[in-house]
Amino acid sequence: MNELRARLERHGQEQLLRFWDELGEPERERLAGEVGEIDLDLIDELVANLLEDEPAAAAAPGEIRPPEAARPGPEDVLAGRGMLAAGEVAVVIVAGGQGTRLGFDGPKGCYPIGPVSDRTLFQIHAEKVVALGRRHGVSVPLYVMTSPQNHAETAAFFDEHGGFGVEKLRLFVQGEMPAVDRSSGRILLAERGGVALSPDGHGGTIRALERSGALAEMADGGIRTIFYLQVDNPLIAIGDPGFLGAHRRAGAEMSSKVVRKTDPAEKVGLVVVRDGRQEMIEYSDLPDELAERRAPDGGLELWAGSIALHLIDVAFARRLAAGGTRLPFHRAVKPVRFVDEHGNAVEPEEPNAVKFEQFIFDALPLAERSLVIETDRATEFEPLKNAAGPASPETVRARLSAVYAAWLEEAGVGVPRGEDGLPAHPVEISPLVALDSAELAGRVGPGLDVTGPVLLS
Ligand code: UTP
C-alpha cells in the first residue's frame, strides 16, 4: 500500500486512494489491482499533450492527395478463394465499444436488426462466417473483441445461442484507459473503490489479440490474414474474395475498403496519401478546406470515405505487437460519472472528463504496403450508430431490405415496390441461405410470390 501511494504521489495521482481507509479488504484489492494496471508514465504524457487540445492530424505538414483505389478483378477473386480454401483467413469483429449514441441496453451486437426476423447483429455476422466456411470447405475462425464492460453479457449471449454454429469462436477482451478530469488532469474515481475506466478504442485490437494469445494461435493455425470489421455494419461482405485476393496479390500488409464520399460534411474517416504513405484522417480532424477540395471533374478530390473495414496481415500485426509499437492516443471529451472529494456520486450533464482512445487505422502508415479497394455504399455500408435519424435502426433495416430485395429480383422474383421505389414489404435472407445474389439465384425460383414480408432462413 505504501508503495502504491508513493508511486501515485510521484505522478500527482494520490487522490485515487482518498477513500482507502473506508474500504473493505475486497474493495482495496480491486482498487489496488486497477491502479496497478494503469501506466502512469503514459498518463503523464497524455495529460501533458492532450488535455488541452489535440493537434489536428490534418494540420501536420505534407502534401495530401487521394489514394489510388482499385476494383478487384477475376484474378483477385480467384486468389481470394484460394486463401479462404487454404484456411488462411480469420475474422475479427470489434465489439467492445459502449454504443452510447445508440443507447441500447446491452452490447450493440445483441441489437435486433433483421428487418423481418429481428436477427441480431451478432447472428448476422456469425451466420456469414459459418456460410463462408461451408462454401470453401473450411472452418473459418471468428474472434470477437469485447471490453471488460460488456464481456460477460456478450459471452453469455453467444453461449445461449451455441455460438450461432461457429465452430472456432473465441472472445477476447480489450484493454481500458482511465478518464481524467478535464481541467486538472487527475484520474477520476467512478466510485470510492474503483477507477473511472473505459475501453481503450478499437486501436487496442492488436494489443488485445497479442495479450490474449490469439495472434500466436492464428499464426500457429496457418492464419495469414485477418478480416477486420466493426460490429455495427451488417452489410459487410465478410470474406469478400476479391478484397482478400487483391490485398494478397499487391503484397499489402494492411488494406482498407472505402466508399465514394459525395458530401464534404459526411462523418466518415478519409483515407489519404500524405508524402507517399497512406493514412486516415478522422472526420473530426478534417479541416473544411481539405474536405471541400474539388477534383477537376467537380467531385470531391479527397473522396475515399472509410467504412472501417480492413485486412490486416498476421505477420504485420505480430511485428507491431513485438516491437511494442504504440499507436497514437486521441482525446475524447465526454461526461463521465465520478465521485467527488467528499465521496458524493456526480452525474455530470456537461463533458467533465477527457478519455484517451486509440484507433486501428493509425496502423495504416506503419504498413509497408497498403491497398485501397472501392465498394458501393448502397450494398455495403450502413452502420448502426444512432437511436434515430441517419445510421439508425430504421435506415439499417431499410437498407438490408433493399439489398435483399435486389437479390430476389436478380433471381427473377418480382418484388412489389412503393412509389418511392423501395420494396413494399420488408425482405430478409439469412446468410445461411445465400451470401450473395448469385447464390440466391440457385436457391429460389421466379415462382416465389411476394405478397408480404419475406424471410428466407
Ligand atoms: P464507435 O467509435 O462507433 O463507437 O465504434 P460505439 O461504441 O459503437 O458507439 P458510440 O461512439 O459510443 O456511440 C466503432 C466500432 O469499434 C468498436 C465498437 O464496438 C464498434 O464496432 N469499438 C470501439 C471497440 O471495439 N472498442 C472501443 O474501445 C471502441
Side-chain angles (χ1 to χ4, degrees):
M1 150 65 188
N2 285 340
E3 206 179 301
L4 193 64
R5 189 178 294 278
R7 196 175 144 245
L8 285 169
E9 276 172 1
R10 275 200 303 281
H11 294 272
Q13 299 285 6
E14 62 282 355
Q15 76 287 353
L16 293 178
L17 300 183
R18 182 176 284 135
F19 304 106
W20 186 265
D21 294 342
E22 303 166 19
L23 301 178
E25 207 38 54
E27 287 172 299
R28 285 183 176 179
E29 227 170 83
R30 180 184 143 205
L31 181 61
E34 284 183 358
V35 173
E37 283 286 308
I38 301 174
D39 180 342
L40 291 168
D41 291 325
L42 172 63
I43 298 297
D44 285 349
E45 184 190 323
L46 297 178
V47 166
N49 295 330
L50 294 180
L51 194 62
E52 295 297 322
D53 208 354
E54 183 163 12
E63 190 218 348
I64 293 179
R65 51 185 181 79
E68 281 175 25
R71 291 246 177 196
E75 291 189 9
D76 297 318
V77 174
L78 268 185
R81 286 188 188 144
M83 293 163 71
L84 289 158
E88 292 175 3
V89 179
V91 175
V92 171
I93 300 178
V94 293
Q98 295 179 302
T100 31
R101 284 168 290 172
L102 183 64
F104 173 59
D105 183 20
K108 201 191 265 189
C110 304
Y111 194 92
I113 199 68
V116 183
S117 75
D118 270 349
R119 261 181 178 66
T120 59
L121 286 164
F122 277 139
Q123 180 170 359
I124 294 175
H125 294 311
E127 288 185 352
K128 285 186 189 177
V129 171
V130 170
L132 187 71
R134 278 192 201 152
R135 182 182 275 192
H136 296 281
V138 290
S139 178
V140 176
L142 170 62
Y143 294 83
V144 179
M145 184 164 88
T146 63
S147 57
Q149 284 80 2
N150 71 13
H151 180 78
E153 233 181 308
T154 306
F157 185 75
F158 273 103
D159 276 351
E160 209 179 295
H161 295 93
F164 297 105
V166 177
E167 283 169 16
K168 296 184 180 169
L169 172 68
R170 177 165 173 179
L171 273 51
F172 65 106
V173 189
Q174 71 175 108
E176 292 176 300
M177 283 291 282
V180 302
D181 177 82
R182 193 180 173 175
S183 42
S184 67
R186 296 191 124 200
I187 297 171
L188 294 169
L189 284 171
E191 49 199 291
R192 290 173 185 233
V195 180
L197 294 167
S198 49
D200 57 5
H202 44 62
T205 308
I206 291 175
R207 188 172 48 247
L209 279 171
E210 163 74 7
R211 275 194 181 187
S212 64
L215 262 189
E217 181 182 271
M218 287 179 188
D220 291 347
I223 301 292
R224 290 178 59 190
T225 302
I226 294 169
F227 193 99
Y228 166 102
L229 69 144
Q230 301 191 337
V231 74
D232 52 25
N233 182 4
L235 290 157
I236 291 297
I238 295 184
D240 172 7
F243 186 29
L244 284 164
H247 165 87
R248 175 70 60 83
R249 291 179 73 230
E253 290 189 313
M254 177 164 175
S255 295
S256 314
K257 251 194 197 184
V258 299
V259 294
R260 195 160 284 272
K261 224 182 123 178
T262 49
D263 172 5
E266 188 187 4
K267 291 184 174 176
V268 290
L270 203 61
V271 181
V272 300
V273 177
R274 189 199 304 264
D275 297 332
R277 288 239 159 210
Q278 249 183 48
E279 65 173 56
M280 225 185 84
I281 306 178
E282 191 49 327
Y283 61 85
S284 46
D285 291 339
L286 186 67
D288 293 348
E289 180 271 315
L290 281 184
E292 280 159 18
R293 256 196 221 166
R294 296 283 159 179
D297 68 0
L300 292 176
E301 183 191 321
L302 300 173
W303 61 271
S306 168
I307 62 168
L309 174 57
H310 300 286
L311 297 178
I312 302 169
D313 268 8
V314 172
F316 172 56
R318 294 191 92 190
R319 194 173 82 227
L320 294 188
T325 308
R326 203 182 84 197
L327 300 181
F329 279 89
H330 300 256
R331 78 200 283 268
V333 185
K334 298 263 165 88
V336 170
R337 194 173 50 80
F338 68 104
V339 290
D340 64 14
E341 62 270 35
H342 310 296
N344 299 319
V346 184
E347 193 80 53
E349 292 198 349
E350 294 301 315
N352 61 316
V354 175
K355 289 183 176 183
F356 303 108
E357 286 192 13
Q358 289 171 305
F359 299 152
I360 189 71
F361 53 73
D362 280 326
L364 267 181
L366 305 174
E368 282 306 319
R369 279 185 69 81
S370 312
L371 190 74
V372 170
I373 290 290
E374 186 184 348
T375 187
D376 295 320
R377 174 189 296 272
T379 51
E380 219 180 348
F381 187 50
E382 187 66 26
L384 180 62
K385 298 281 188 196
N386 305 310
S392 67
E394 196 184 340
T395 67
V396 177
R397 287 196 186 106
R399 190 68 74 76
L400 283 167
S401 261
V403 168
Y404 295 136
W407 291 8
L408 280 179
E409 286 168 337
E410 281 173 51
V413 176
V415 176
R417 288 182 177 267
E419 276 177 14
D420 51 7
L422 297 172
H425 310 289
V427 184
E428 181 176 339
I429 297 167
S430 158
L432 296 175
V433 172
L435 278 175
D436 50 38
S437 60
E439 193 171 14
L440 185 70
R443 298 268 156 91
V444 296
L448 182 71
D449 199 13
V450 179
T451 54
V454 179
L455 173 64
L456 300 181
S457 70

